[in-house]
Amino acid sequence: GLLATGLLFRITAVQARISAERKAQAAAFAHQATHDSLTGLGNRELLAARMQADFASNESRALALIDLDGFKEVNDTLGHQAGDQLLRRLGPRLTDALSAADTLARLGGDEFAVWLAAPVDAAGAAARVGALLAAIRAPFDIDGVTLQVDASVGVALYPEHGGNVGAPGHGCANSLDPDGALLSVAGLARLSVDSLRLSGSEMPNSS
């Protein structure tokens, strides 16, 4: 009676613990698959998933592509460890400059992408990119050394620069993968921060 009940209780407790550990491992693996290991920011997979989910609504959005200026010099003069520290510290700054609905991803190296939540037009994108640039330009203290970097930014507006939503891998103007038309347009539109222009007439056309 009591012995059997106690044994059953222990077995149930062990099973519950194993189940919880497996769920935790699955969650950790899922996080690793969609996040950058260095900065903890989203990666291309997360960006693709968020863009795909948002395309269904067909609301106005914007994709900003950010490329740090001067980052190579940081690596060359202070070493890659200093560069990694800068990237890790930059992540929270950029996150704080965005809304909770925006998606920030590190694409690799010193390149980032931001999927701005709806509704956003060219003027709204310009204002939000301005906040990101201010965060990037603020000085960094890396091991007692004050560093400053800048950035070049390109912006693509959805749906203006995306065309019709198509299935992944079909070469449509607005493919649902993060290397599709919007990233291409944003890359072409990446301008010097001193001459950043976001008006529709000055944005390159995706066609």
Side-chain angles (χ1 to χ4, degrees):
L2 290 176
L3 181 60
T5 300
L7 179 60
L8 179 60
F9 176 79
R10 286 195 294 273
I11 292 174
T12 302
V14 169
Q15 290 175 333
R17 187 175 70 250
I18 293 174
S19 177
E21 290 174 351
R22 286 176 176 171
K23 288 180 180 179
Q25 288 178 343
F29 288 143
H31 185 273
Q32 291 172 4
T34 56
H35 288 77
D36 174 58
S37 60
L38 176 65
T39 63
L41 300 176
N43 60 14
R44 288 175 179 267
E45 295 299 323
L46 181 66
L47 178 66
R50 296 282 174 83
M51 291 173 68
Q52 181 172 356
D54 290 341
F55 282 151
S57 68
N58 207 36
E59 294 181 281
S60 60
R61 298 177 185 272
L63 178 70
L65 201 59
I66 302 170
D67 191 17
L68 299 184
D69 299 331
F71 183 74
K72 182 179 183 299
E73 287 73 12
V74 172
N75 279 336
D76 290 345
T77 57
L78 299 178
H80 289 278
Q81 185 175 1
D84 288 349
Q85 287 188 53
L86 190 152
L87 292 175
R88 282 194 291 266
R89 295 185 186 184
L90 178 61
R93 286 191 186 185
L94 297 180
T95 300
D96 289 344
L98 297 168
S99 73
D102 297 328
T103 299
L104 171 64
R106 181 183 178 221
L107 302 183
D110 61 352
E111 191 174 51
F112 299 82
V114 181
W115 181 235
L116 297 173
V120 60
D121 56 11
R128 290 157 81 175
V129 167
L132 291 170
L133 289 173
I136 293 170
R137 290 168 173 166
F140 291 87
D141 184 344
I142 306 294
D143 295 333
V145 179
T146 299
L147 301 176
Q148 283 189 286
V149 294
D150 215 321
S152 299
V153 182
V155 176
L157 302 176
Y158 176 79
E160 289 93 321
H161 301 118
N164 296 319
V165 177
H170 283 70
C172 298
N174 198 6
S175 175
L176 298 184
D177 75 87
D179 294 318
L182 284 177
L183 271 186
S184 297
V185 172
L188 292 172
R190 191 188 304 140
L191 307 172
S192 165
V193 293
D194 294 328
S195 61
L196 179 63
R197 299 292 184 269
L198 295 176
S199 68
S201 61
E202 292 170 307
M203 290 289 295
N205 195 295
S206 61
S207 60

